[in-house]
Amino acid sequence: MNDDTPDSMQELADVLQDVRRHLLWQEESAGRSILVDAKVAAELQQQRAAASSVRTMIARTKAPEPAAAPTPPRPPPESPSRDTLHAAMKQPLGAPRPLAAATPPPAAPRAAPAPAPAPAMLLDVPKSAPRYNGALPGVVEGERPTLDQVRRELGDCRRCKLCSGRKNIVFGSGNPRADLVFVGEGPGENEDLQGVPFVGAAGDLLTKMIGAMGFTRNDVYIANVVKCRPPGNRNPEPDEIAACEPFLRSQLLAIQPKVIVALGKFAAQTLLRDTTPITRMRGQWREYEGIQLMPTFHPAYLLRNSAEKRNAWADLQQVMKLFGKHPGSSA
């Protein structure tokens, strides 16, 4: 059953025909300026209302249908322009009349942007320790630390990979107010076991050298560039030296000796920031932070190269002269 009865359709057709005649008359009398007076517009509105009432009455007589989903209310149509109304009046009765611009269909919802991919996990690579800047962490800059403070700051050191294979940290030993300090490269197997520097074969030779100079081990202080044993007694690597260097320099700041004897290239090159080979550096007085420094061969090197003991003894004799000591027997 249609919503519109033949009577209502005929009624609407009659109304529209009257409106067309009226508009054509207006067009002939006033050119293309189409004017719809208020009276005709009111009559047209009344007829539309009557037609709507007829449709409502007819719809109530129909069998109930399942309720449809509510549709969102449409915005009120814009008033038709004169050109749009004129074009509609020229169409045959019953044809669709676009009196207002068609409402554009609602825009499809924009797809949400795809989530950005999660950043790739970065490997947690430990950074190399910073270069020594003249102050130990935990000690006021410019203040003279004590060896106890330096040892507490070192703690159970995990600053480089040497910590994974060590048995003991070999901090240093001797007189905390010594005028003479010996600095070596790093602990060996015996030093790692006992936690004391220079106690193996190289340590025995160093003890003899110290005695020949007129000192005992209790008179001097002995330390190393690195405090943990490198695996297989290999040379310490740059990152390992960088991690330990602040503590060696803080030890020297705490002791403030008159003379440092650098045993081997690693001790001499680290303290002096000089890559000159030890064979060319040895026997020549250098200076570290206002302290006289004598580079010479490491005792372990002398055990492998006995011919160099004479040169090493000559280096130590220069140190003895600075302290006013007379040479005794050679090491």
Side-chain angles (χ1 to χ4, degrees):
M1 183 176 185
N2 294 330
D3 289 341
D4 294 331
T5 62
D7 292 339
S8 62
M9 291 297 294
Q10 184 59 44
E11 185 179 33
L12 288 174
D14 294 340
V15 171
L16 291 174
Q17 188 65 26
D18 291 339
V19 172
R20 172 183 282 184
R21 294 192 188 97
H22 179 79
L23 291 175
L24 292 175
W25 174 81
Q26 290 285 355
E27 184 177 7
E28 292 173 358
S29 61
R32 292 191 176 274
S33 58
I34 301 175
L35 301 175
V36 179
D37 58 16
K39 181 178 179 181
V40 174
E43 291 178 357
L44 180 60
Q45 185 66 26
Q46 290 177 1
Q47 294 298 333
R48 287 178 178 171
S52 177
S53 299
V54 173
R55 293 192 187 96
T56 302
M57 293 176 62
I58 295 173
R60 288 175 180 173
T61 62
K62 295 176 63 176
E65 296 178 358
T71 57
R74 293 185 178 181
E78 298 179 358
S79 300
S81 64
R82 293 177 179 176
D83 291 340
T84 303
L85 185 59
H86 183 206
M89 289 300 103
K90 291 185 177 182
Q91 295 180 5
L93 293 177
R97 297 184 301 261
L99 295 180
T103 303
R110 299 179 64 180
M121 296 298 292
L122 300 177
L123 294 177
D124 186 14
V125 180
K127 297 181 179 178
S128 298
R131 298 293 288 178
Y132 179 74
N133 60 4
L136 181 74
V139 177
V140 178
E141 185 175 359
E143 178 182 336
R144 180 180 177 180
T146 66
L147 287 176
D148 287 341
Q149 284 179 306
V150 180
R151 182 63 186 89
R152 284 196 300 270
E153 186 64 32
L154 179 62
D156 183 28
C157 185
R158 302 282 168 179
R159 294 170 177 83
C160 77
K161 56 186 177 294
L162 291 181
C163 67
S164 61
R166 72 169 183 237
K167 291 182 172 59
N168 286 291
I169 292 177
V170 183
F171 180 69
S173 66
N175 183 355
R177 289 292 179 263
D179 288 331
L180 178 59
V181 172
F182 291 85
V183 177
E185 176 182 318
E189 182 179 7
N190 292 297
E191 289 80 7
D192 182 44
L193 292 172
Q194 299 183 41
V196 180
F198 285 93
V199 294
D204 291 340
L205 179 56
L206 178 61
T207 301
K208 292 178 181 180
M209 294 164 65
I210 293 172
M213 296 174 68
F215 297 94
T216 68
R217 286 183 65 125
N218 291 330
D219 296 326
V220 303
Y221 193 87
I222 304 173
N224 284 305
V225 172
V226 296
K227 313 303 184 189
C228 300
R229 180 195 178 193
N233 292 342
R234 64 161 170 77
N235 292 333
E237 297 177 354
D239 62 314
E240 298 161 357
I241 293 174
C244 248
E245 183 183 4
F247 297 97
L248 170 62
R249 292 179 178 268
S250 294
Q251 285 175 292
L252 296 174
L253 180 61
I255 299 168
Q256 294 189 1
K258 291 180 180 179
V259 177
I260 299 170
V261 176
L263 302 170
K265 71 172 184 177
F266 284 97
Q269 293 178 355
T270 298
L271 291 175
L272 297 175
R273 296 284 198 271
D274 189 340
T275 58
T276 302
I278 190 64
T279 53
R280 292 168 47 193
M281 195 187 300
R282 58 146 292 271
Q284 301 179 28
W285 281 110
R286 303 290 293 272
E287 188 175 294
Y288 164 79
E289 301 290 339
I291 302 170
Q292 294 295 307
L293 185 148
M294 175 58 68
T296 191
F297 294 118
H298 193 283
Y301 175 80
L302 296 176
L303 290 176
R304 300 190 304 268
N305 300 273
S306 298
E308 295 290 355
K309 286 184 178 181
R310 184 181 300 273
N311 289 329
W313 176 238
D315 300 339
L316 297 181
Q317 285 181 320
Q318 294 190 62
V319 176
M320 293 167 63
K321 287 180 181 179
L322 192 144
F323 283 103
K325 292 182 176 292
H326 299 288
S329 61
S330 66

